């Protein structure tokens, strides 16, 4: 596997009209979740991807697993469990593309993922382990040790460890997130953080300060995602500021960060220089926001190459 990730997935109820959810009368059923979206994004770029998770043994669980299979994601380590309903989220989307998410994910099926679930063979042949703070926040007492064990086993197998803090303040407090994430950062190879998340972790929005604090923790590679302002990368002392790629339209901003992560990991696996990695990731993020849904806008590799001007687009 090129990329292995561990985490939850939910049925995502997408509103058919924009504005406050109390005025929305109908929704489209879709699938979403940070790690799930990352797996879909990597698979569409042509990477072999494994997603480790648990879903309810119900129609929503089957829908999500089948969706992932159809995208080419390896779901051999996705189990359907009785007694734990598949999680659901309802989205509220505003005219400008932003919005809010309302979660119904208590008693998540992922509580049945335990440290005993993860063994050395889980990561055999893998190249990257990608983790996020979302899975850790769902059950701090259980999932934080599980993630630590996964990192340890993956590093023993020689995998590159990527972390997106993906701090969800509806799941845990800032102090809890900071403590748990800073604790594992010394074991991480790559940090992919939004500016708001970086501020929570390091009490600063100055990239140079953040990079220095990461260096003190032993990190060699850090990327700061700043939405429409572009991104900044730091690797082994080299700093690159990548300007934003203008989106053709902004319909829904959910999933843009996951698309950025997928694009960056793809580029890293190709051995591309930092500047190109950031540009590709910025490009994919700009493509994702133009489509409604958590992962519907995640592009295929050909689409990215066309947007980059590296492949000709033939319309008819």
């Amino acid at each position: 596997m090129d990329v292995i990730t561990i985490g939850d997935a939910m049925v995502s109820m997408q509103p058919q009209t924009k504005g406050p959810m109390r005025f929305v009368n109908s929704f489209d059923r879709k699938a979403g979740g940070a790690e799930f979206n990352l797996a879909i994004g990597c698979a569409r770029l042509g990477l072999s991807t494994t997603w480790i998770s648990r879903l309810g043994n119900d129609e929503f669980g089957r829908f999500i697993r089948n969706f992932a299979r159809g995208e080419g994601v390896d779901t051999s380590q996705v189990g359907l469990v009785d007694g734990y309903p598949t999680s659901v989220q309802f989205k509220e989307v505003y005219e400008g593309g932003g919005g809010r998410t309302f979660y119904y994910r208590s008693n998540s099926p992922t509580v049945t993922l335990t440290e005993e679930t993860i063994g050395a063979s889980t990561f055999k042949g893998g190249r990257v382990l990608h983790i996020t703070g979302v899975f850790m926040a769902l059950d701090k007492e259980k999932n934080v040790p599980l993630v630590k064990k996964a990192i340890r086993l993956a590093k023993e197998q020689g995998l590159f460890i990527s972390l997106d803090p993906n701090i969800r303040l509806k799941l845990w407090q800032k102090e809890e997130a900071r403590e748990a994430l800073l604790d594992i950062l010394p074991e991480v190879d790559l940090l992919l953080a939004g500016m708001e998340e970086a501020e929570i972790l390091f009490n600063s929005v100055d990239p140079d300060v953040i990079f220095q604090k990461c260096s003190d923790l032993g990190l060699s590679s850090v990327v700061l995602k700043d939405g429409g302002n572009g991104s900044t990368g730091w690797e082994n002392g080299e700093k690159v500021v990548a300007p934003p790629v203008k989106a053709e339209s902004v319909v829904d901003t959910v999933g843009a960060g996951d698309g950025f992560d997928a694009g960056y990991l793809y580029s890293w696996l190709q051995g591309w220089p930092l500047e190109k990695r950031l540009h590709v990731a910025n490009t994919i993020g700009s493509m994702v926001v133009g489509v409604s849904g958590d992962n519907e806008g995640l592009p295929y590799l050909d689409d990215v190459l066309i947007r980059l001007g590296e492949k000709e687009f033939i319309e008819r």
Side-chain angles (χ1 to χ4, degrees):
M1 286 292 115
D2 293 315
V3 177
I4 299 171
T5 189
I6 307 172
D8 193 20
M10 303 164 288
V11 164
S12 180
M13 304 302 285
Q14 184 78 25
Q16 292 188 353
T17 55
K18 295 183 178 180
M21 197 171 71
R22 62 183 177 274
F23 299 121
V24 177
N25 297 314
S26 55
F27 297 81
D28 291 324
R29 181 204 63 186
K30 300 186 179 182
E35 300 89 359
F36 176 81
N37 293 341
L38 183 282
I40 298 295
C42 288
R44 287 185 184 169
L45 293 174
L47 299 176
S48 56
T49 308
T50 290
W51 170 46
I52 302 169
S53 188
R54 294 293 182 270
L55 300 166
N57 188 19
D58 51 35
E59 289 302 303
F60 282 165
R62 296 183 188 97
F63 159 67
I64 293 173
R65 188 171 66 172
N66 290 345
F67 182 90
R69 282 175 174 170
E71 292 290 343
V73 175
D74 171 31
T75 60
S76 62
Q77 298 190 61
V78 177
L80 301 181
V81 296
D82 293 320
Y84 299 87
T86 299
S87 300
V88 179
Q89 67 174 359
F90 285 82
K91 292 174 63 178
E92 182 179 77
V93 180
Y94 305 146
E95 294 296 335
R100 295 187 296 174
T101 301
F102 300 85
Y103 298 109
Y104 299 86
R105 65 198 309 179
S106 61
N107 203 31
S108 164
T110 57
V111 302
T112 62
L113 275 174
T114 65
E115 289 187 58
E116 291 68 33
T117 308
I118 306 297
S121 61
T122 304
F123 307 103
K124 186 176 182 180
R127 301 177 68 187
V128 174
L129 171 63
H130 180 79
I131 55 179
T132 88
V134 177
F135 178 64
M136 297 169 65
L138 286 175
D139 188 334
K140 297 178 288 295
E141 298 302 320
K142 178 182 68 66
N143 290 351
V144 171
L146 188 155
V147 165
K148 288 182 178 180
K149 179 180 179 182
I151 291 174
R152 176 175 59 80
L153 294 176
K155 290 178 75 72
E156 290 174 358
Q157 297 277 350
L159 274 71
F160 183 82
I161 311 299
S162 167
L163 167 67
D164 187 331
N166 252 322
I167 297 174
R168 301 286 192 266
L169 295 179
K170 289 186 176 182
L171 297 178
W172 56 1
Q173 300 298 314
K174 290 182 180 180
E175 295 74 18
E176 294 177 302
R178 182 185 301 115
E179 180 182 0
L181 292 166
L182 289 179
D183 186 46
I184 67 171
L185 273 181
E187 304 303 320
V188 169
D189 298 304
L190 167 65
L191 174 65
L192 294 158
M195 287 301 300
E196 292 182 0
E197 296 163 340
E199 183 178 11
I200 291 173
L201 293 176
F202 305 109
N203 295 312
S204 176
V205 292
D206 183 336
D208 292 330
V209 171
I210 295 169
F211 296 148
Q212 183 58 56
K213 290 188 175 184
C214 288
S215 178
D216 293 342
L217 289 170
L219 273 79
S220 60
S221 187
V222 182
V223 173
L224 299 177
K225 301 178 284 185
D226 199 12
N229 297 316
S231 59
T232 304
W234 175 85
E235 185 173 70
N236 298 320
E238 175 192 8
K239 176 183 172 182
V240 173
V241 178
V245 175
K246 183 175 177 56
E248 294 182 354
S249 62
V250 179
V251 176
D252 187 350
T253 59
V254 174
D258 303 322
F260 182 103
D261 292 356
Y264 191 90
L265 291 177
Y266 173 84
S267 303
W268 182 84
L269 286 166
Q270 308 312 306
W272 292 341
L274 178 58
E275 183 176 6
K276 183 170 183 178
R277 281 178 252 156
L278 294 172
H279 181 58
V280 170
N282 284 344
T283 298
I284 292 178
S286 75
M287 297 171 74
V288 172
V289 300
V291 181
S292 179
D294 286 25
N295 47 59
E296 282 74 9
L298 293 168
Y300 291 91
L301 181 58
D302 283 352
D303 300 322
V304 178
L305 295 177
I306 290 170
R307 182 65 65 89
L308 292 171
E310 298 180 10
K311 185 171 183 176
E312 183 182 2
F313 174 62
I314 300 176
E315 183 175 357
R316 60 178 69 181

